[in-house]
Amino acid sequence: MACASGVWLLSTVNPAEFLEDQFPRSRWHVLPTAFRTAYRAADDLVRNIPILGIESALDNKGRLVAYSVDFAVKRLIDTGQLPFDYRWQHFARPTGRYLEVRLPHSVLTISQVSDAKKQPRNVRFRANARMNNEPFFNLPEFAEENAVKGLPHLLLVHGYQSLDFIHLAVPHPLHHRNYRHRSENLLTMPHELESGVPPVEDTDTDFEDLGVLKEEIERWRRENGD
């Protein structure tokens, strides 16, 4: 890493390492149960409320799923099962609000996607947010852009019509490049639980870069009142 005009320019930070630092693997196991419950709640609403069972409403069932998932994640935070905070942010256009989960040095938003390998629709608030992920890169197109200028953006994506997958992901700043890193499907992978045993030291991980990134994020927060 180098310093130019008093601003740290970061070499590549491992996105997988950063994701697990922000959303520890030991907490992943709470998501599948919460999401299954949320999807069942949406199905129950459709089944029990006739208005929601007509064709025009069924075409928009994804909204019910989104509301149910937001409620489920909010409840995980409110009950302490996820050690994070949240706030409701307005979309770029004044059409409503979305749930923003506040991680230690980043933010996370939730999206339904029909294809787990592709980023969600390229709406403005996500387009703006993912550009904060530039410090993860050492690419020519970002050669002059590697200083922290916002909180890194992570995604929690899940199946659209049916719950076939849940992934935590670091979106690539270029939408068509999809993800810099995407976890395994949380519905099918074994989950690490909390234990009193210290983790095995990973001698191949560059903790210096991660530490510098987090220091730069804290500095940005102080300077921008976030």
Side-chain angles (χ1 to χ4, degrees), residues 82-98:
L82 289 178
F84 309 132
D85 199 357
Y86 63 85
R87 64 185 180 186
W88 296 97
Q89 295 280 48
H90 287 278
F91 291 112
R93 294 181 179 179
T95 55
R97 290 184 288 177
Y98 63 92

Side-chain angles (χ1 to χ4, degrees), residues 54-74:
I54 64 171
E55 283 74 9
S56 57
L58 290 174
D59 288 342
N60 289 282
K61 183 187 170 185
R63 292 182 181 271
L64 290 179
V65 172
Y67 302 151
S68 296
V69 166
D70 281 352
F71 179 84
V73 172
K74 175 182 178 298

